[in-house]
């Protein structure tokens, strides 16, 4: 099975493709993605989570909780964006919404926990789309393969209760491993 990347390099399932180092990998992402740094960050997270198999999903188990891989990636990215202005604006909006509905607890720590939970949910919802776009860029670059597992696998509607599985290609794994 072959997967075409937009820069004209084929990688077969046997893994024979033109060698790629980390700078060439970043250059490839820059040529394909509108957000190459974000796509590289997502690639790095997928590669680290995939371990020796090179594949991650449909669920990632963390703290005895199984999360869909896209949600896990969103949570990983949210963790590093604590000071981001968008996150702060969402937190302020959530506080206003909860205040207006009079459901915010009087205890400051309980109120903050409720706000944090709601912010995480809202950011995860929008982050799933960002993750999907970044993975689509990685697929076009020939660095990741994506398929789906779950209910109605062959259904024409890709969202039919199926979860994504991401596999880092041998080409990308070698490029990432060279720098380690």
């Amino acid at each position: 099975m072959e997967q075409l990347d937009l820069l004209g390099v084929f990688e077969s399932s046997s893994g024979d493709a033109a060698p790629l180092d980390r700078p060439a990998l970043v250059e490839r992402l820059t040529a394909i993605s509108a957000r190459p740094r974000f796509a590289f960050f997502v690639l790095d997270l997928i590669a680290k989570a995939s371990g020796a198999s090179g594949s991650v999903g449909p669920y990632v188990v963390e703290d005895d909780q199984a999360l869909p891989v896209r949600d896990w990636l969103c949570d990983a990215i949210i963790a590093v964006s604590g000071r981001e202005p968008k996150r702060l604006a969402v937190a302020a909006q959530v506080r206003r919404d909860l205040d207006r509905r009079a459901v915010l607890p009087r205890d400051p720590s309980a109120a903050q926990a409720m706000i944090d939970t709601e912010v995480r949910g809202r950011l995860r919802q929008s982050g799933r789309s960002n993750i999907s776009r970044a993975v689509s860029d990685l697929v076009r670059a020939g660095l990741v393969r994506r398929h789906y597992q779950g209910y109605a696998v062959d259904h024409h509607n890709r969202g039919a209760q199926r979860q994504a599985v991401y596999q880092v290609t041998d080409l990308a794994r070698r490029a990432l491993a060279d720098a380690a």
Side-chain angles (χ1 to χ4, degrees):
M1 176 174 162
E2 292 186 347
Q3 181 170 343
L4 170 68
D5 73 41
L6 293 180
L7 298 178
V9 176
F10 283 90
E11 180 176 358
S12 68
S13 56
S14 63
D16 51 352
L20 188 69
D21 59 5
R22 190 173 284 230
L25 184 143
V26 171
E27 185 177 332
R28 179 180 287 209
L29 280 175
T30 302
I32 290 179
S33 178
R35 298 172 65 193
R37 287 182 290 182
F38 184 75
F40 182 79
F41 186 45
V42 170
L43 173 64
D44 191 51
L45 286 170
I46 291 170
K48 286 180 179 166
S50 68
S53 71
S55 181
V56 63
Y59 296 97
V60 175
V61 177
E62 189 171 270
D63 299 330
D64 295 329
Q65 182 180 13
L67 288 172
V69 67
R70 283 194 312 166
D71 289 350
W72 178 82
L73 287 166
C74 288
D75 289 352
I77 289 170
I78 287 170
V80 298
S81 65
R83 293 189 197 123
E84 188 175 301
K86 179 181 178 182
R87 181 184 175 105
L88 297 174
V90 170
Q93 181 63 45
V94 165
R95 180 177 290 280
R96 285 192 299 274
D97 290 348
L98 293 175
D99 249 350
R100 190 176 320 116
R101 294 188 342 229
V103 295
L104 204 57
R106 293 195 187 277
D107 177 37
S109 62
Q112 190 59 47
M114 180 183 262
I115 290 168
D116 290 345
T117 301
E118 180 67 21
V119 167
R120 181 174 294 277
R122 289 185 187 188
L123 291 177
R124 184 185 277 176
Q125 192 66 26
S126 66
R128 293 184 78 183
S129 297
N130 293 331
I131 296 294
S132 291
R133 279 191 292 272
V135 171
S136 292
D137 290 345
L138 293 169
V139 168
R140 281 193 302 275
L143 303 173
V144 169
R145 289 187 191 92
R146 171 179 45 201
H147 67 276
Y148 297 88
Q149 288 182 355
Y151 178 75
V153 173
D154 295 327
H155 194 273
H156 69 278
N157 176 6
R158 294 192 325 183
Q161 297 180 359
R162 299 182 311 150
Q163 298 294 334
V165 176
Y166 304 132
Q167 181 180 14
V168 179
T169 63
D170 290 337
L171 185 68
R173 290 176 75 190
R174 285 190 303 266
L176 291 170
D178 286 345

